[in-house]
């Protein structure tokens, strides 16, 4: 079982000609609201990929429909607490080129107590996986408790903040980073080559498996002396909002099924490529059948 200590947000999407500039008032030409948050996105992606995932989260009581959506997708929602405080939400601009800008309010996602975390982690079995992102509070404590319990930790430091550098990242078995996150963790300049980023990450975290996602430049896996490349798929993106989350969920589901790393990368990249051609966050995450069908066309 994989336990996802993750955020649940309501995403308010605005389609705009370009991302709003400072001091500018810009009219959007589409609006909708949907389930989001990196945690919820990754849980839903893993469930749609056929994985077994239990979500640990906190959600405003009036947003209970979001919990129902996760449950309908196959996510175990027994550990999602409905609370009276405001839930997390995001204001998302998506421009006509598929780029996005996001304003995030954490809300209930930042209300975890140490006692709640201890109870959740003690209920997990040693050898299970814990997945975490950087949208919930008490993250360092969660990583420490999970490691002490004998859980395998997968971490995605998104959104990247200065606090991430102080986390006990050496406790992680698997790290998912994009280019910007890798640059922040290693101190390398913007535009550093993938090989430089991977070398620096290995030097800092020699025992941790790393998956480096580079969008239209493909993805890399590294562990010790093993380094594997997943070429990019030629697609024209419409909306990249949940691309990284889709990749992570599909990768972990394939990993849970004990598939080779090459297959994990291929499934994850294919799912993300399908997703960026659709609008929305959870709405864009494909079903496993769609991914397998596209992969089958390449064989």
């Amino acid at each position: 079982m994989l336990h996802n200590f993750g955020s649940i947000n309501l995403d308010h999407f605005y389609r705009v000609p370009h991302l709003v500039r400072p001091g500018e008032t810009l009219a959007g030409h589409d609006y909708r609201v949907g389930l989001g948050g990196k945690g919820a996105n990754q849980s839903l992606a893993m469930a749609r990929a056929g994985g077994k995932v239990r979500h640990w989260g906190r959600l405003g009581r009036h947003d209970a429909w979001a919990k129902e959506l996760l449950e309908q997708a196959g996510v175990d929602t027994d550990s999602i607490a409905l609370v009276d405080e405001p839930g997390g939400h995001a204001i998302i601009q998506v421009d006509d080129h598929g780029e996005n800008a996001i304003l995030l309010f954490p809300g209930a996602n930042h209300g975890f107590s140490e006692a709640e975390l201890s109870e959740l982690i003690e209920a997990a079995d040693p050898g299970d996986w814990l997945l975490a992102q950087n949208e919930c509070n008490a993250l360092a404590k969660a990583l420490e408790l999970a490691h002490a319990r004998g859980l395998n930790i997968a971490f995605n430091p998104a959104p990247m903040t200065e606090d991430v550098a102080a986390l006990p990242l050496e406790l992680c078995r698997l790290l998912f980073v994009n280019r910007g996150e890798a640059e922040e963790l290693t101190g390398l300049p913007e535009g550093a080559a993938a090989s430089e980023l991977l070398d620096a990450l290995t030097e800092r975290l020699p025992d941790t498996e790393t998956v480096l996602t580079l969008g239209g430049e493909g993805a890399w896996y590294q562990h010790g002396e093993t380094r594997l490349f997943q070429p990019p798929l030629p697609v024209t993106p419409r909306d990249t909002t949940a691309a990284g989350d889709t990749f992570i969920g599909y990768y972990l589901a394939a990993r849970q099924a004990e598939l080779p790393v090459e297959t994990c990368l291929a499934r994850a990249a294919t799912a993300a490529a399908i997703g960026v051609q659709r609008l929305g966050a959870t709405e864009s995450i494909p079903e496993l059948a769609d991914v397998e069908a596209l992969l089958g066309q390449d064989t």
Side-chain angles (χ1 to χ4, degrees):
M1 174 65 74
L2 181 141
H3 310 271
N4 186 0
F5 172 47
S7 57
I8 307 174
N9 292 330
L10 297 190
D11 284 346
H12 298 266
F13 289 92
Y14 297 85
R15 193 80 189 186
V16 292
H18 58 262
L19 302 183
V20 178
R21 305 183 183 98
E24 180 183 25
T25 299
L26 180 66
H29 47 78
D30 186 31
Y31 166 77
R32 55 190 165 27
V33 61
L35 171 64
K38 292 184 181 300
N41 293 345
Q42 291 176 21
S43 282
L44 192 142
M46 188 171 178
R48 286 187 179 166
K52 294 180 180 179
V53 53
R54 177 178 293 128
H55 195 97
W56 300 349
R58 304 177 82 251
L59 181 65
R61 195 174 304 280
H62 56 287
D63 298 327
W65 60 268
K67 178 179 178 180
E68 295 171 4
L69 283 180
L70 287 169
E71 187 173 358
Q72 291 167 8
V75 177
D76 183 332
T77 61
D78 289 348
S79 297
I80 295 178
L82 297 178
V83 299
D84 293 326
E85 62 200 271
H89 64 266
I91 306 298
I92 302 175
Q93 303 174 54
V94 182
D95 71 15
D96 290 339
H97 300 287
E99 292 300 320
N100 64 72
I102 302 173
L103 171 65
L104 177 66
F105 174 71
N109 297 310
H110 276 198
F112 282 94
S113 69
E114 185 173 329
E116 287 174 313
L117 281 174
S118 296
E119 183 178 350
L120 289 166
I121 289 170
E122 283 303 311
D125 294 326
D128 283 355
W129 280 81
L130 176 73
L131 170 64
Q133 310 81 33
N134 193 29
E135 289 187 338
C136 293
N137 70 305
L139 187 53
K141 178 58 66 174
L143 298 183
E144 291 166 359
L145 291 172
H147 179 71
R149 181 64 176 163
L151 303 185
N152 297 300
I153 299 171
F155 181 48
N156 172 219
M160 189 70 186
T161 63
E162 293 180 358
D163 297 337
V164 170
L167 291 173
L169 298 180
E170 69 279 359
L171 303 182
C172 298
R173 180 171 177 180
L174 178 58
L175 181 71
F176 292 98
V177 287
N178 62 21
R179 179 183 293 280
E181 292 152 4
E183 290 169 351
E184 287 287 333
L185 285 175
T186 61
L188 290 174
E190 183 177 348
S195 59
E196 295 177 295
L197 293 171
L198 291 167
D199 287 343
L201 287 166
T202 294
E203 183 176 352
R204 176 170 179 177
L205 300 167
D207 298 324
T208 300
E209 298 174 55
T210 300
V211 176
L212 172 65
T213 57
L214 299 173
E217 298 175 33
W220 290 87
Y221 168 89
Q222 176 173 271
H223 186 216
E225 296 182 359
T226 300
R227 188 174 287 184
L228 303 170
F229 178 62
Q230 170 61 43
L233 280 72
V235 297
T236 300
R238 297 181 66 201
D239 183 354
T240 61
T241 303
D245 299 329
T246 299
F247 186 104
I248 290 169
Y250 263 82
Y251 185 96
L252 287 170
R255 176 70 175 260
Q256 190 178 69
E258 299 183 350
L259 297 175
V261 171
E262 294 90 340
T263 304
C264 296
L265 289 170
R267 283 197 178 192
T270 301
I274 294 173
V276 299
Q277 298 175 80
R278 303 172 176 178
L279 298 178
T282 54
E283 307 96 319
S284 72
I285 299 171
E287 300 286 348
L288 179 59
D290 296 330
V291 175
E292 290 179 333
L294 187 56
L295 283 169
Q297 294 174 13
D298 298 331
T299 60

